[in-house]
Amino acid sequence: MDRIFYQFPIGSNFTVTAGPRVRQDDMLAVWPSQYPADTILDFFTYAGAPGTYTSALGAGAGIWWNRGWFQRSALAT
């Protein structure tokens, strides 16, 4: 099993993610790039920025707030 985490909404604007094997990108409110991964601009996408958004697994928890186009995340790993 690769990842084990639980994700659930709190009201209509908040989402909580927590688990013993969760990745950082599982807890983000937004995808970290405006560029699709299948273009020549792949350098700027998630896969092109491994130091910023790693694939490391571990225990963690996060909460995100989503209000239309405005989104914020807070997480601890």
Side-chain angles (χ1 to χ4, degrees):
M1 190 169 299
D2 185 39
R3 294 182 254 179
I4 302 171
F5 64 91
Y6 184 64
Q7 194 169 57
F8 58 94
I10 297 178
S12 61
N13 296 329
F14 288 93
T15 302
V16 173
T17 305
R21 280 184 65 82
V22 63
R23 246 177 30 190
Q24 181 180 16
D25 62 338
D26 294 322
M27 298 182 282
L28 293 175
V30 296
W31 190 250
S33 177
Q34 295 297 322
Y35 304 104
D38 58 348
T39 66
I40 196 165
L41 298 172
D42 185 47
F43 176 77
F44 297 108
T45 63
Y46 169 81
T52 305
Y53 300 102
T54 67
S55 315
L57 291 169
I63 186 168
W64 77 65
W65 178 69
N66 186 353
R67 182 80 170 187
W69 62 272
F70 190 73
Q71 302 151 351
R72 290 288 183 245
S73 303
L75 51 111
T77 57

